Amino acid sequence: MNIKKNILIISPFFFPEPISTGKFNTDFAIALQKKGHQVTMLCYHPFYPDWKIKQSNSKLKGIQIIRGGSNLIFSNKTTVRRLILEFSFALFILRKIRKHQKNKDIIIPIFPPSLAFLSILPFLNKKIRKVGMVHDLQEVYSLDKKRFINKVVHFFIHNIEKKCYNSCHKLIFLSKEMKERAKDLYQLEEGILEVQYPFVTINKDKETNNLDYIFKNNNKHVVYSGALGEKQNPKKLFDFFNKASVIIDNVSFHFFSEGEEINKLKKNSTNSNIHFHKLVKKENLVELYNRSDVQIIPQKERTAEGSLPSKLPNLLASKCKVFLITDPNSELERLFIDNNLDFVTTNWDTTLLIKWLKKILSKDVDFKHQNKIAQRFFTIDKMIQKVVS
């Protein structure tokens, strides 16, 4: 018999955020509510991907949503706006935690950000079970940066995340690599660590027909869709698209994204065969994936252990070819190879990537097999069970 829990989730990213952690948190909260648990969400008004607050009164049935950050202004500088997010969200959570921790059985901080959880640790009721969920290891992305300010930021990231992670009764990581790296970095006890891949969130039975104006020509379509930041290696990804468009005939290349990085690429692009689009609405995702001949999943060199792309389950559950660019011997490379998934490479050399793309475009893929793998590894029920048990 499953005992229903009263659960508090804290993360700035939530419905109706269109991408990444926002969508994950939304689907996760809905799934908990559908299982009969009471869910309260402490979050910000939507601001991603352009880092501008868009006040929202949107509601979700059965979920109490407490929003903050309505008057927040972010900087254009990446490091500064991350600091603004960390400190402002910590102050927001400090103001709200006394009221909203009452009668709660479980609190789920979604990392990152981390400072908010650290700030409320002294004030949390000792009876509340703390179950952290780790989406990204921020320390991994700061290791290669040499500037003094980056070293200072890295120092604080390490110490804050170490304290937060070691204060949880349980930690759930979205990949084994993340778990092992965090265990080594922060001296975590194996007994509190769990691994659960992200889950399929699309409804394959509800495919729209709203993107015909984009895919109307007879070309094949190579697509990157979703958040585009440093960990996706945007400059090298664009260089790949740019050179491939000259060498491979009858192929159109697309970016479906928004934010600072995509604006830079768009501003400097003179290639008429590379097309830039806004993020599609959630209801159009199935159509986008199925109309894409190839969807690219790029990971910057030496960052694979920092996160696992949350869109991977949805892509595998769709009818598109998936081209993964990752680190040698990474968890995702092994997942693809061990389960006969096409296609994966561990080299960012543009010439080699173009050769791979030619091969992918000419080869048939067993989409039923892809979907079978998606259903085997990427399920929401296993994640919920690990959270509430």
Side-chain angles (χ1 to χ4, degrees), residues 151-300:
K151 291 181 179 180
V152 173
V153 170
H154 173 262
F155 172 82
F156 282 104
I157 288 174
H158 175 83
N159 286 281
I160 292 171
E161 290 192 339
K162 182 177 182 179
K163 177 65 175 177
C164 288
Y165 293 175
N166 278 286
S167 298
C168 290
H169 296 99
K170 182 184 289 188
L171 281 168
I172 299 175
F173 296 87
L174 302 189
S175 75
K176 295 175 184 176
E177 279 186 314
M178 291 171 63
K179 187 202 88 168
E180 293 302 325
R181 187 60 187 274
K183 180 181 176 182
D184 179 61
L185 285 171
Y186 307 124
Q187 295 80 53
L188 301 171
E189 295 182 10
E190 178 68 32
I192 71 169
L193 308 181
E194 295 271 9
V195 175
Q196 183 56 52
Y197 288 149
F199 43 86
V200 175
T201 61
I202 56 172
N203 185 342
K204 293 178 290 183
D205 297 327
K206 292 185 177 180
E207 183 173 356
T208 58
N209 189 32
N210 298 329
L211 306 177
D212 189 61
Y213 69 100
I214 294 174
F215 297 97
K216 60 185 177 182
N217 63 38
N218 293 322
N219 284 359
K220 291 190 174 181
H221 298 274
V222 177
V223 176
Y224 174 80
S225 60
L228 188 67
E230 182 182 2
K231 63 184 177 182
Q232 283 86 25
N233 224 353
K235 292 181 180 178
K236 287 191 177 182
L237 180 61
F238 178 83
D239 187 54
F240 165 39
F241 279 14
N242 196 35
K243 292 179 180 177
S245 69
V246 175
I247 295 172
I248 308 176
D249 294 329
N250 303 316
V251 176
S252 295
F253 294 82
H254 303 268
F255 286 96
F256 287 83
S257 188
E258 297 175 49
E260 182 180 351
E261 289 294 339
I262 201 69
N263 290 338
K264 290 178 183 177
L265 297 182
K266 185 176 181 179
K267 181 179 179 180
N268 295 323
S269 176
T270 58
N271 190 331
S272 61
N273 205 29
I274 298 179
H275 308 279
F276 296 89
H277 316 275
K278 291 187 176 182
L279 292 161
V280 301
K281 296 180 179 179
K282 184 176 181 179
E283 57 264 30
N284 296 326
L285 276 178
V286 175
E287 181 186 357
L288 172 63
Y289 295 159
N290 289 345
R291 284 181 176 267
S292 304
D293 292 278
V294 181
Q295 279 267 347
I296 310 291
I297 300 181
Q299 292 186 301
K300 185 180 179 182

Side-chain angles (χ1 to χ4, degrees), residues 8-161:
L8 175 65
I9 304 173
I10 60 172
S11 173
F13 312 107
F14 196 62
F15 175 81
E17 289 278 17
I19 57 175
S20 194
T21 307
K23 284 199 303 184
F24 180 100
N25 293 345
T26 301
D27 292 325
F28 177 57
I30 291 172
L32 284 168
Q33 190 274 331
K34 287 183 176 179
K35 292 288 186 181
H37 305 290
Q38 295 183 34
V39 180
T40 300
M41 187 78 205
L42 293 180
C43 61
Y44 269 176
H45 292 273
F47 63 89
Y48 211 72
D50 55 3
W51 293 83
K52 293 181 180 178
I53 294 290
K54 308 169 193 66
Q55 293 196 32
S56 173
N57 294 318
S58 299
K59 301 182 184 300
L60 291 172
K61 184 178 179 180
I63 298 174
Q64 184 182 19
I65 305 173
I66 313 299
R67 300 188 189 274
S70 58
N71 298 314
L72 203 59
I73 298 176
F74 292 104
S75 168
N76 289 326
K77 296 182 178 180
T78 302
T79 301
V80 175
R81 69 186 181 195
R82 287 287 179 182
L83 290 173
I84 292 172
L85 175 62
E86 288 278 1
F87 283 98
S88 65
F89 192 61
L91 290 172
F92 168 69
I93 297 300
L94 272 170
R95 293 198 304 270
K96 299 295 182 180
I97 195 62
R98 181 179 179 181
K99 176 180 178 180
H100 293 288
Q101 69 170 309
K102 291 180 179 179
N103 302 315
K104 298 298 187 292
D105 302 301
I106 301 172
I107 182 171
I108 306 175
I110 310 289
F111 302 119
S114 304
L115 187 60
F117 184 64
L118 177 67
S119 68
I120 63 173
L121 282 174
F123 310 106
L124 283 180
N125 188 318
K126 304 301 181 184
K127 295 181 180 180
I128 299 178
R129 186 166 176 80
K130 302 181 284 290
V131 181
M133 187 171 295
V134 184
H135 281 223
D136 296 321
L137 291 177
Q138 291 296 289
E139 186 166 351
V140 170
Y141 299 109
S142 67
L143 288 175
D144 291 337
K145 298 180 178 180
K146 305 302 182 184
R147 294 172 56 194
F148 174 75
I149 185 63
N150 295 121
K151 291 181 179 180
V152 173
V153 170
H154 173 262
F155 172 82
F156 282 104
I157 288 174
H158 175 83
N159 286 281
I160 292 171
E161 290 192 339

Side-chain angles (χ1 to χ4, degrees), residues 238-369:
F238 178 83
D239 187 54
F240 165 39
F241 279 14
N242 196 35
K243 292 179 180 177
S245 69
V246 175
I247 295 172
I248 308 176
D249 294 329
N250 303 316
V251 176
S252 295
F253 294 82
H254 303 268
F255 286 96
F256 287 83
S257 188
E258 297 175 49
E260 182 180 351
E261 289 294 339
I262 201 69
N263 290 338
K264 290 178 183 177
L265 297 182
K266 185 176 181 179
K267 181 179 179 180
N268 295 323
S269 176
T270 58
N271 190 331
S272 61
N273 205 29
I274 298 179
H275 308 279
F276 296 89
H277 316 275
K278 291 187 176 182
L279 292 161
V280 301
K281 296 180 179 179
K282 184 176 181 179
E283 57 264 30
N284 296 326
L285 276 178
V286 175
E287 181 186 357
L288 172 63
Y289 295 159
N290 289 345
R291 284 181 176 267
S292 304
D293 292 278
V294 181
Q295 279 267 347
I296 310 291
I297 300 181
Q299 292 186 301
K300 185 180 179 182
E301 301 95 326
R302 299 180 297 278
T303 66
E305 62 187 3
S307 62
L308 190 146
S310 58
K311 66 181 176 182
L312 174 60
N314 287 339
L315 291 177
L316 292 178
S318 304
K319 296 177 182 178
C320 66
K321 300 173 185 178
V322 179
F323 185 18
L324 170 68
I325 311 170
T326 188
D327 288 334
N329 302 312
S330 67
E331 184 173 354
L332 281 186
E333 184 195 20
R334 295 193 299 271
L335 177 71
F336 269 55
I337 292 173
D338 292 347
N339 293 282
N340 298 313
L341 292 172
D342 297 310
F343 301 87
V344 57
T345 185
T346 58
N347 195 318
W348 271 96
D349 180 83
T350 302
T351 302
L352 294 177
L353 290 176
I354 293 171
K355 288 182 178 179
W356 262 105
L357 183 57
K358 287 181 178 178
K359 180 180 178 181
I360 294 168
L361 289 167
S362 64
K363 184 177 179 180
D364 292 332
V365 170
D366 185 350
F367 295 125
K368 289 184 178 180
H369 174 69

